[in-house]
C-alpha cells in the first residue's frame, strides 16, 4: 500500500472526535495491554488505544465503543505500548545510506521520528544536496524532519568545502515544509566573537519560529560558553561529562546525550539526573551517529534507551528522553512523542521496558514492522547522475604524494601527532619523536601517517600529518571520502604505496571506504552519492561495512568502531588536533599549526 501524506490534526479532528465518541469506527484498536504515558510518567494497566486517520483518537480504559465491523483489533496479551522513539540529533549520511534506506534500517528498531542535519551533503553539494535529502525524507512512512545546515564550512579559514552555506540559504530553507530548524551551530568561536553571518543564520531561524541546534565542543565553561548560549542555540550534544550536562541545562538549553557507533557520552552525563536529581525533562537522548553496521546489527534509538537504563536511569525517564522531551524541544509536542489524542499514531509494542524488545512498530496508524522485519516500502528519489560524480582528484596519486620531508640534516624530529581516543569524538594533541630516514619522516610503532586529499575541485593537493591510536601493523592503508565535515578524502596508513592504492581506488569507484593490506584490497564500501551514501539496500551496505570493520581488525586495529574515529579526523571544530586541506589544525586555538616543532 502506498504511503499517503498524513492529514493535520485540524483536518482530522472531526473524524477523531466521532471515533472517540463512538459515532464512527476506528481503523485499529489495541487492547489488553499497558499504556506508557510519558506525560505523567506512569503505566496505565488495561488502557486501550483507538487509531483513526493515522492519529490517536481515543486513549482510555475501554475502547469497545470505537470498534466496528472492519476495525483491526490487536490483542496485546499484557504487553506494553510505548511511544515511537525519536532521535533528537543525527546525520543520515553517516549511516552510509539514503534517507529511504536509513528509514528502512531503523523502523524495525522502533524509531518513528528523526531530526536530521544533512550538513555532510551540504559540504559537497550545497543547498541542492540539502533539498534532495529533505525531499526524500518527506515521502517516508515515518516522520523525518530536516534541520537546515548552518556551517559549511564549519570553520571558515581552516578548511575548504565543495560549497558554502550562508544566511540567504538558511532563510530560503526555512520556507520548506520539512524544515524544523537550524542544524548544529558548529562555528562556536564565530558566535562567541559576534560573527554577523552566524548571528544572521540564527536570526533567520528564530524569526521563522524554529529551533536553533547547538554544538559547543569546548571544555571551557567560562564566559565563552555563556556568550555562546546568549547567541541562541537551544541544545547541545557535545558534552562528555556530568559538568557539561549540568552547565547546559542551567543556561536553559537541552542537554542531548549521545550513544552512536563510537560516541559513548550517556554514561558520563546521565548522572546529572540519576545522582544530582536535575529535572529530566531537559535531557534528550540521541545517536549522532550510527553507521549501517550498527543500525542493522545493534539497533538505533532502542539501543540508546537500553543503555541509559543500564546506566541507572529509570525506564520511564529514559523513554521520556527519547520521546516527549525531544518533541517538546522541537515544538511538535502536540504532533508526536506520546500516546495521546490527536498525535500521530506512532507506537511500539514491547514485552519488557528494560530490555525493550521491539515486537511491533506502528507509524502514522499502520504497522510498519513486526518481529524485527519491516513491512512497508520506503520510497526512493531518483538521485541525479551528477551527484554520483563528486570525487575529483585531478590526477593519479603516487607514493611520493604521501612523503613527509624533514628539514635538511635532521636525524629525528619532534612532531605533533593526532591522538585518537576510543569512544570519544575529541582527539588528543600528542608530541612524538619521529626518526628521519633518507630525508623523510619514518613513523614507527603506534604512530602512522594520515593524509587529506582534496577531492572537490581536482587540485591534486595532499596534506600529510601523523596519527596515533589505531594500532595498525604491517603494510596497510585505509581511505574514505567520508571525512567530516568538509568531506575531502582521508587516508591513514603505515605504508605510502598502500595509501596511494587506496586513494586511487576511491577515485575509480566514485567514493566510499576501502582497506588495503600488502597490495590487496580487503574491503570496499562503495558510496557513490556525494561520496557519502550508497544507493544499495541497507542490509547489503551493512554487510560491506561489517567486512570493512573486519579488515581494519585484520590490520591490527582493536578500537571500537574505529571507522567513525577515522571519519572525524578532519572535523576542525572538535578539539584538539585535526587535519584539513589547508594543513594541521589546532582546534583549541582555532588556527593552523606546524607539524614539526623542532629537529635534532
Amino acid at each position: 500500500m502506498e504511503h499517503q501524506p498524513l492529514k493535520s490534526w485540524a483536518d482530522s479532528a472531526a473524524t477523531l472526535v466521532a471515533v472517540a465518541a463512538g459515532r464512527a469506527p476506528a481503523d485499529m484498536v489495541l487492547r489488553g495491554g499497558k499504556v506508557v504515558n510519558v506525560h505523567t510518567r506512569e503505566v496505565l494497566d488495561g488502557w486501550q488505544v483507538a487509531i483513526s486517520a493515522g492519529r490517536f483518537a481515543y486513549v482510555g480504559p475501554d475502547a469497545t465503543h470505537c470498534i466496528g465491523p472492519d476495525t483491526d483489533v490487536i490483542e496485546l496479551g499484557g504487553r506494553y505500548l510505548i511511544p515511537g522513539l525519536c532521535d533528537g540529533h543525527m546525520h543520515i549520511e553517516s549511516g552510509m545510506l539514503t534517507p529511504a534506506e536509513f528509514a528502512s534500517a531503523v523502523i524495525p528498531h522502533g524509531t518513528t521520528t528523526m531530526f536530521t542535519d544533512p550538513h555532510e551533503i551540504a559540504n559537497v553539494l550545497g543547498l541542492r544536496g540539502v533539498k534532495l535529502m529533505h525531499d526524500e525524507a518527506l515521502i517516508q512512512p515515518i516522520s523525518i524532519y530536516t534541520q537546515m545546515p548552518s556551517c559549511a564550512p564549519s570553520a571558515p579559514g581552516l578548511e575548504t568545502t565543495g560549497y558554502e552555506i550562508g544566511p540567504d540559504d538558511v532563510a530560503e530553507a526555512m520556507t520548506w515544509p520539512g524544515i524544523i530548524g537550524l542544524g548544529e551551530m558548529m562555528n562556536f568561536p564565530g558566535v562567541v566573537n559576534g560573527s554577523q553571518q552566524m548571528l544572521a543564520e540564527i536570526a533567520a531561524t528564530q524569526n521563522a519560529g524554529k529551533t536553533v541546534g547547538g554544538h559547543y565542543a569546548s571544555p571551557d565553561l567560562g564566559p565563552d560558553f555563556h556568550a555562546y548560549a546568549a547567541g541562541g542555540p537551544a541544545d547541545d550534544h557535545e558534552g562528555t561529562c556530568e559538568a557539561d550536562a549540568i552547565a547546559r541545562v542551567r543556561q536553559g538549553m537541552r542537554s542531548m546525550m549521545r550513544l552512536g557507533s563510537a560516541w559513548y557520552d550517556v554514561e558520563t552525563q546521565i548522572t546529572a539526573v540519576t545522582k544530582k536529581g536535575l529535572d529530566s525533562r531537559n535531557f534528550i537522548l540521541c545517536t549522532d551517529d550510527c553507521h549501517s553496521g550498527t543500525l542493522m546489527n545493534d539497533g538505533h534509538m532502542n539501543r540508546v534507551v537500553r543503555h541509559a537504563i543500564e546506566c541507572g536511569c529509570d525506564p520511564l525517564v529514559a523513554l521520556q528522553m527519547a520521546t516527549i522531551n525531544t518533541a517538546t524541544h522541537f515544538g511538535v509536542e502536540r504532533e508526536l512523542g506520546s500516546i495521546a489524542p490527536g498525535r500521530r499514531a506512532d507506537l511500539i509494542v514491547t514485552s519488557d521496558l528494560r530490555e525493550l524488545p521491539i515486537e511491533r512498530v506502528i507509524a502514522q496508524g499502520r504497522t510498519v514492522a513486526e518481529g524485527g522485519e519491516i513491512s512497508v516500502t520506503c520510497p526512493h528519489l531518483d538521485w541525479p547522475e551528477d551527484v554520483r560524480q563528486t570525487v575529483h582528484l585531478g590526477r593519479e596519486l603516487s607514493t611520493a604524494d604521501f612523503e613527509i620531508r624533514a628539514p635538511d640534516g635532521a636525524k629525528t624530529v619532534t612532531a605533533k601527532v593526532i591522538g585518537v581516543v576510543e569512544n570519544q569524538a575529541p582527539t588528543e594533541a600528542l608530541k612524538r619523536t619521529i626518526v628521519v630516514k633518507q630525508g623523510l619522516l619514518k613513523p614507527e610503532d603506534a604512530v602512522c601517517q594520515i593524509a587529506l586529499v582534496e577531492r572537490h575541485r581536482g587540485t591534486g593537493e595532499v596534506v600529510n600529518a601523523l596519527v596515533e591510536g589505531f594500532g595498525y601493523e604491517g603494510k596497510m592503508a585505509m581511505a574514505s571520502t567520508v571525512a567530516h565535515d568538509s568531506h575531502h578524502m582521508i587516508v591513514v596508513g603505515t605504508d605510502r604505496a598502500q595509501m596511494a592504492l587506496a586513494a586511487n581506488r576511491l577515485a575509480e569507484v566514485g567514493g566510499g571506504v576501502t582497506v588495503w593490506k600488502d597490495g590487496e584490497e580487503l574491503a570496499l564500501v562503495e558510496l557513490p552519492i556525494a561520496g557519502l551514501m550508497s544507493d544499495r539496500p541497507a542490509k547489503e551496505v551493512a554487510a560491506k561495512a561489517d567486512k570493512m570493520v573486519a579488515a581494519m581488525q585484520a590490520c591490527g586495529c582493536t578500537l571500537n568502531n574505529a571507522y567513525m574515529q577515522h571519519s572525524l579526523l578532519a572535523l576542525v571544530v572538535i578539539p584538539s588536533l585535526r587535519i584539513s586541506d589547508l594543513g594541521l589544525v589546532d582546534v583549541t586555538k582555532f588556527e593552523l599549526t606546524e607539524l614539526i616543532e623542532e629537529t635534532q
Side-chain angles (χ1 to χ4, degrees), residues 320-338:
Q320 285 182 316
M321 292 178 179
T323 57
I324 192 64
N325 293 11
T326 315
T328 300
H329 176 62
F330 286 102
V332 289
E333 181 180 350
R334 296 283 290 172
E335 186 65 21
L336 52 86
S338 65

Side-chain angles (χ1 to χ4, degrees), residues 93 96 120-121 124-125 386-391 455-456 480-483 487-489 506 509-513 525-534 563:
E93 306 98 310
M96 306 178 178
E120 322 304 349
I121 204 169
V124 181
L125 296 170
D386 65 300
V387 307
R388 303 169 185 269
Q389 308 292 331
T390 63
V391 180
R455 67 111 163 167
H456 296 310
S480 172
T481 51
V482 178
H487 295 292
H488 291 287
M489 182 190 297
L506 292 189
V509 301
V513 189
V525 185
E526 300 96 331
L527 303 174
I529 299 178
L532 302 172
M533 297 177 290
S534 173
Y563 160 73

Side-chain angles (χ1 to χ4, degrees), residues 173-390:
M174 290 301 143
T175 66
W176 299 349
I179 294 292
I180 196 71
L182 189 68
E184 55 181 305
M185 178 51 70
M186 295 177 289
N187 187 3
F188 59 90
V191 174
V192 170
N193 293 314
S195 163
Q196 290 304 301
Q197 177 175 335
M198 297 299 100
L199 294 180
E201 291 184 7
I202 292 173
T205 306
Q206 292 174 323
N207 290 337
K210 299 180 186 293
T211 304
V212 178
H215 170 117
Y216 184 79
S218 171
D220 180 5
L221 298 177
D224 281 359
F225 170 69
H226 290 265
Y228 183 71
D235 57 61
D236 190 75
H237 57 273
E238 290 296 337
T240 60
C241 63
E242 182 186 90
D244 289 339
I246 292 173
R248 282 148 177 78
V249 297
R250 282 177 175 170
Q251 294 298 306
M253 304 169 77
R254 258 71 179 221
S255 172
M256 290 188 170
M257 303 176 293
R258 61 187 173 188
L259 177 74
S261 290
W263 326 135
Y264 284 60
D265 297 321
V266 174
E267 184 174 8
T268 55
Q269 295 185 89
I270 205 166
T271 52
V273 173
T274 60
K275 294 184 178 180
K276 289 295 193 295
L278 271 61
D279 188 344
S280 61
R281 288 299 302 274
N282 295 309
F283 294 80
I284 292 170
L285 296 173
C286 68
T287 60
D288 184 44
D289 286 305
C290 294
H291 68 68
S292 55
T294 300
L295 297 178
M296 299 303 296
N297 300 325
D298 301 326
H300 190 231
M301 283 303 298
N302 57 328
R303 170 176 174 259
V304 186
V305 173
R306 282 197 303 265
H307 177 68
I309 295 169
E310 290 167 358
C311 293
C313 188
D314 180 281
L316 298 187
V317 172
L319 286 172
Q320 285 182 316
M321 292 178 179
T323 57
I324 192 64
N325 293 11
T326 315
T328 300
H329 176 62
F330 286 102
V332 289
E333 181 180 350
R334 296 283 290 172
E335 186 65 21
L336 52 86
S338 65
I339 300 174
R343 276 68 168 184
R344 298 184 184 190
D346 300 339
L347 61 81
I348 297 166
V349 178
T350 183
S351 55
D352 191 310
L353 292 184
R354 287 187 172 273
E355 296 300 321
L356 214 62
I358 309 299
E359 295 162 21
R360 181 193 288 257
V361 183
I362 294 173
Q364 299 179 24
R366 63 172 177 163
T367 297
V368 292
E370 194 166 5
E373 296 294 329
I374 192 167
S375 56
V376 293
T377 299
C378 296
H380 292 68
L381 284 184
D382 184 11
W383 289 77
E385 185 59 32
D386 65 300
V387 307
R388 303 169 185 269
Q389 308 292 331
T390 63

Side-chain angles (χ1 to χ4, degrees), residues 139-190:
I139 60 176
Q140 300 312 310
I142 60 174
S143 303
I144 304 180
Y145 292 96
T146 302
Q147 295 174 285
M148 174 59 196
S150 61
C151 301
S154 59
L158 296 180
E159 63 180 355
T160 309
T161 55
Y163 284 83
E164 295 187 3
I165 293 293
D168 291 344
D169 297 316
V170 172
E172 177 183 337
M174 290 301 143
T175 66
W176 299 349
I179 294 292
I180 196 71
L182 189 68
E184 55 181 305
M185 178 51 70
M186 295 177 289
N187 187 3
F188 59 90

Side-chain angles (χ1 to χ4, degrees), residues 49-102:
V49 174
I51 295 170
S52 187
R55 295 179 178 273
F56 295 116
Y58 173 88
V59 182
D62 187 357
T64 303
H65 63 291
C66 304
I67 298 174
D70 297 321
T71 300
D72 181 13
V73 179
I74 298 175
E75 299 290 352
L76 298 173
R79 291 175 294 174
Y80 297 91
L81 292 181
I82 64 174
L85 302 178
C86 307
D87 192 343
H89 177 75
M90 48 87 71
H91 311 280
I92 284 176
E93 306 98 310
S94 293
M96 306 178 178
L97 306 169
T98 60
E101 286 302 320
F102 199 102

